[in-house]
């Protein structure tokens, strides 16, 4: 089972954990993006079902499983090593001595084998390289990276980012568990990222007060006084919770969240004014203002445009707040404001490990916004290097265009699912159809469509459906070809055959009208003037 993931150098893990490399030498600079703890579920699974994903993961074989695996399940080990090699795992960590056949197997596959000597005094219960010890090692390295890299430029609220960094760091040490601040727009902890399965299980836990904290457990979610906000405590093994340290961390988090909410409200007015001047005013005059808000010259900026059409002001404010939450995941501020049914946002990037944290938060932003807006959320993104304020405008325009494409794809998909053919079940009925007698309607259908129907029945062609789709899409070639799933040249050939079989020209308006009327009357039973007129009104 994979319990957590992050990014750290393999050489750092080897040096800090006191591991020895047996056989294949680890490649310098190789990154470890997570740890996969091999448990009994993997051993009992069929040999053909490889655990994963294993790319750039360290596979840890706990000492409790090592002895029985080496003695009785060499077939499982061979399958595990083959899977790790195929999926480009970073290596295997083994507690205790590795047997010669195991060393030879890893060496043959070019897979680094890392071992750690057990404490002889611990006997068979020696712990070796446990998941917690390796996770603590990687978290320490990431804390160092985040601490030595600069935070955002001086701006209102940046002090809260630095305080949050210290809270997550010191709180993890005092409680003996990883801390994540769960807020509407993100799950914040730049040091350690929970695996999707463990994260989902943790977020399913109910939020409770400190006084209701159970005696022990692996996961706990504690309320911190803001709606939709909690502090998540996680660890790999269920042990007793230290109630006093937990209470102290929660109290500090409550204070920080309350102060940050006030600061965010004050900053919001500045952001709205900045965005208005950037879009509608003299953008060259907002350069110094951008730096004050955390967008310094030369930085790379991600632009977001989120569709909030028909959303009330409270919903728009909630979306803006969620964008700030997503930026907070990488300890960066955001600039967000609502204009004309869209939330516009700018988030600075650092070019460091924090960018991966930000990307992860942005990837899940749409999922987190869906419950807030009670509908699927469309987001357009773009980026730029800030050399002049106009760069921000261009990035927002590009993000808006990406959003328009996303909305168009969604509308097209909705149209395609309206019936099995991807188009409305019936064509819109022109009012003139109600003036035709039943005999005239039958004659029109026979004269115009009969040649196509005969050919479709005889040769299996689909000329009637092609004609119907072409007219429904207002004779747009590219869209018709896309809906039909054919090349435009194929569509062009079909239309030429339709004209040849019927003796009519699709470029002539009168012939198009005849085709449209014939197909319309074929779709519905003739009901006279009143019936068709009513149907027309309904369909429009």
């Amino acid at each position: 089972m994979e319990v957590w993931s992050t990014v750290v150098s393999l050489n750092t893990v080897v040096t800090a954990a006191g591991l020895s490399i047996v056989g294949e030498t680890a490649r310098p600079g190789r990154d470890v993006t997570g740890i996969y703890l091999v448990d009994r579920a993997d051993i009992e699974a069929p040999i053909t079902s490889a655990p994963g994903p294993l790319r750039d993961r360290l596979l840890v074989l706990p000492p409790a499983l090592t002895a029985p695996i080496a003695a009785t399940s060499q077939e499982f080990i061979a399958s595990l090593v083959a899977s790790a090699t195929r999926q480009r795992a970073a290596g295997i960590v083994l507690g205790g001595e590795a047997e010669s056949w195991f060393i030879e197997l890893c060496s043959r596959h070019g897979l680094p084998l890392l071992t750690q000597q057990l404490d002889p005094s611990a006997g068979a219960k020696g712990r070796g390289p446990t998941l917690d010890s390796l996770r603590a090692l990687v978290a320490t390295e990431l804390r160092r990276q985040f601490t030595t890299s600069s935070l955002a430029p001086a701006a209102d609220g940046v002090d809260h980012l630095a305080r949050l960094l210290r809270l997550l760091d010191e709180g993890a040490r005092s409680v003996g568990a990883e801390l994540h601040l769960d807020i509407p727009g993100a799950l914040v902890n730049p040091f350690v990222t929970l695996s999707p399965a463990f994260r989902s299980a943790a977020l399913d836990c109910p939020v409770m007060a400190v006084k209701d904290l159970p005696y022990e457990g692996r996961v706990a979610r504690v309320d911190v006084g803001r709606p939709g906000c909690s502090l998540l405590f996680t660890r790999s093994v269920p042990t007793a919770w230290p109630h006093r340290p937990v209470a102290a961390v929660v109290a500090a988090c409550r204070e920080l969240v309350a102060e940050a909410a006030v600061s965010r409200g004050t900053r919001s007015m500045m952001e709205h004014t900045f965005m208005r001047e950037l879009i509608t005013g003299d953008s060259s005059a907002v350069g110094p203002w951008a730096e004050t808000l955390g967008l310094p010259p030369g930085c790379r900026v991600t632009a977001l445009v989120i569709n909030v059409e028909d959303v009330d002001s409270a919903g728009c404010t909630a979306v803006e707040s969620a964008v700030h939450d997503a930026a907070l995941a990488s300890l960066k501020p955001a600039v967000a404001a609502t204009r004309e049914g869209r939330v516009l946002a700018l988030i600075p990037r650092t070019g460091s490990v924090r960018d991966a944290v930000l990307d992860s938060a942005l990837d899940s932003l749409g999922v987190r916004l869906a419950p807030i807006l009670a509908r699927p959320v469309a987001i357009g993104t773009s980026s730029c290097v800030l050399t002049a304020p106009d760069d921000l405008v261009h990035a927002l325009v590009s993000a808006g265009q990406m959003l328009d494409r996303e909305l168009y794809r969604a509308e097209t998909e909705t149209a395609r699912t309206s019936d099995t053919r991807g188009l409305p079940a019936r064509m819109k009925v022109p009012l003139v159809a109600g003036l035709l007698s039943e005999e005239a309607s039958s004659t029109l259908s026979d004269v115009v469509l009969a040649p196509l129907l005969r050919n479709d029945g005889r040769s299996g062609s689909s000329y009637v459906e092609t004609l119907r789709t072409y007219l429904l899409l207002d004779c747009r070639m590219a869209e018709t070809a896309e809906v039909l799933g054919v090349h435009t040249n194929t569509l062009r050939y079909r239309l030429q055959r339709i004209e040849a079989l019927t003796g009519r020209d699709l470029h002539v308006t009168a012939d198009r009208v005849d085709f449209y009327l014939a197909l319309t009357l074929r779709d519905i039973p003739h009901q006279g003037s009143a019936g068709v007129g009513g149907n027309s009104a309904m369909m429009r």
Side-chain angles (χ1 to χ4, degrees):
M1 60 176 179
E2 186 189 27
V3 180
W4 65 278
S5 60
T6 186
V7 181
V8 71
S9 166
L10 175 60
N11 288 349
T12 299
V13 176
V14 171
T15 302
L19 301 175
S20 300
I21 301 177
V22 181
E24 178 73 13
T25 302
R27 291 180 290 277
R30 178 73 179 270
D31 284 338
V32 176
T33 61
I35 286 185
Y36 190 97
L37 179 64
V38 180
D39 57 15
R40 293 198 177 276
D42 293 312
I43 299 174
E44 295 167 359
I47 296 300
T48 55
S49 61
L54 304 180
R55 183 181 177 89
D56 295 330
R57 264 62 170 173
L58 276 179
L59 277 69
V60 177
L61 296 180
L65 297 179
T66 302
I69 288 177
T72 63
S73 301
Q74 292 190 17
E75 185 181 4
F76 168 77
I77 287 291
S79 174
L80 182 69
V81 171
S83 297
T85 304
R86 186 169 57 253
Q87 298 187 45
R88 300 185 64 185
I92 292 181
V93 181
L94 181 66
E97 293 286 346
E99 296 188 14
S100 58
W101 67 268
F102 195 2
I103 297 174
E104 182 182 353
L105 179 65
C106 291
S107 179
R108 188 165 63 248
H109 284 80
L111 185 68
L113 175 61
L114 290 70
T115 64
Q116 183 181 59
Q117 295 297 322
L118 301 181
D119 182 358
S121 63
K125 295 183 179 180
R127 292 177 58 83
T130 64
L131 184 68
D132 280 340
S133 65
L134 289 173
R135 180 170 60 178
L137 163 70
V138 176
T140 299
E141 171 63 15
L142 282 183
R143 289 184 183 105
R144 184 192 66 77
Q145 293 181 25
F146 272 78
T147 304
T148 55
S149 60
S150 61
L151 289 173
D156 186 27
V158 171
D159 180 60
H160 297 111
L161 300 180
R163 288 175 59 191
L164 176 62
L165 181 65
R166 290 194 298 270
L167 175 66
L168 295 175
D169 183 10
E170 297 170 2
R173 298 173 188 273
S174 64
V175 175
E178 296 299 340
L179 275 62
H180 288 77
L181 181 59
D182 181 24
I183 47 184
L187 190 63
V188 181
N189 183 330
F191 310 133
V192 174
T193 303
L194 301 177
S195 69
F198 191 62
R199 169 178 173 159
S200 177
L203 292 178
D204 284 341
C205 294
V207 179
M208 64 186 72
V210 175
K211 63 182 180 62
D212 298 324
L213 196 68
Y215 173 73
E216 65 178 18
R218 295 179 62 197
V219 179
R221 290 181 69 195
V222 182
D223 176 58
V224 293
R226 174 187 169 189
C229 183
S230 62
L231 197 58
L232 183 65
F233 298 83
T234 61
R235 53 193 176 189
S236 61
V237 293
T239 55
W241 293 108
H243 280 244
R244 286 189 177 180
V246 168
V249 170
V250 170
C253 188
R254 278 177 173 270
E255 180 182 354
L256 177 59
V257 167
E259 292 179 6
V262 174
S263 175
R264 184 176 289 183
T266 303
R267 178 185 165 95
S268 177
M269 294 184 289
M270 299 172 59
E271 293 175 7
H272 280 249
T273 305
F274 169 80
M275 199 69 78
R276 183 183 67 245
E277 292 299 317
L278 181 67
I279 300 299
T280 64
D282 181 7
S283 61
S284 62
V286 300
W289 206 349
E291 188 167 2
T292 301
L293 289 172
L295 302 171
C299 75
R300 178 165 288 278
V301 179
T302 292
L304 302 178
V305 179
I306 305 172
N307 181 39
V308 290
E309 189 177 2
D310 300 326
V311 176
D312 59 20
S313 59
C316 293
T317 301
V319 173
E320 293 176 18
S321 181
V323 171
H324 283 93
D325 293 343
L328 184 63
S330 63
L331 302 180
K332 278 292 184 180
V335 178
T338 303
R339 290 189 58 82
E340 300 178 356
R342 296 187 169 189
V343 170
L344 313 180
L346 300 166
I347 304 175
R349 305 179 74 89
T350 62
S352 68
V353 67
R354 275 185 281 169
D355 284 350
V357 178
L358 176 61
D359 290 337
S360 177
L362 294 180
D363 287 342
S364 62
L365 182 60
V367 176
R368 284 183 164 265
L369 285 176
I372 297 176
L373 300 181
R375 71 182 191 193
V377 179
I379 303 176
T381 62
S382 184
S383 65
C384 69
V385 175
L386 177 54
T387 58
D390 280 345
D391 295 327
L392 300 178
V393 177
H394 296 155
L396 288 170
V397 170
S398 296
Q401 292 171 343
M402 295 300 294
L403 173 61
D404 290 337
R405 293 180 186 178
E406 183 66 26
L407 292 173
Y408 176 76
R409 280 196 294 267
E411 292 172 0
T412 302
E413 185 63 26
T414 300
R416 289 180 180 178
T417 56
S418 60
D419 80 336
T420 57
R421 293 169 294 185
L423 292 168
R426 290 182 177 179
M427 304 177 77
K428 294 180 179 179
V429 184
L431 290 175
V432 70
L435 304 177
L436 299 177
S437 65
E438 186 172 357
E439 182 180 358
S441 300
S442 178
T443 301
L444 178 63
S445 179
D446 289 344
V447 171
V448 175
L449 298 182
L452 303 180
L453 291 169
R454 284 196 299 270
N455 194 85
D456 286 352
R458 183 174 59 252
S459 63
S461 59
S462 55
Y463 291 146
V464 172
E465 182 62 20
T466 298
L467 178 62
R468 178 180 182 275
T469 304
Y470 181 65
L471 294 174
L472 271 173
L473 294 175
D474 298 324
C475 305
R476 294 191 292 269
M477 292 287 292
E479 293 181 29
T480 303
E482 182 181 359
V483 169
L484 293 174
V486 299
H487 194 275
T488 52
N489 289 341
T490 301
L491 174 61
R492 190 172 290 107
Y493 169 77
R494 290 184 184 180
L495 296 178
Q496 291 172 353
R497 287 290 297 151
I498 289 171
E499 291 176 333
L501 289 170
T502 60
R504 295 172 181 268
D505 189 344
L506 282 167
H507 294 89
V508 175
T509 301
D511 289 343
R512 283 188 183 180
V513 170
D514 285 347
F515 278 131
Y516 196 97
L517 277 173
L519 288 167
T520 300
L521 295 170
R522 176 176 175 268
D523 273 356
I524 62 172
H526 188 79
Q527 301 176 6
S529 176
V532 175
N535 203 9
S536 175
M538 177 187 69
M539 292 184 181
R540 291 179 186 277

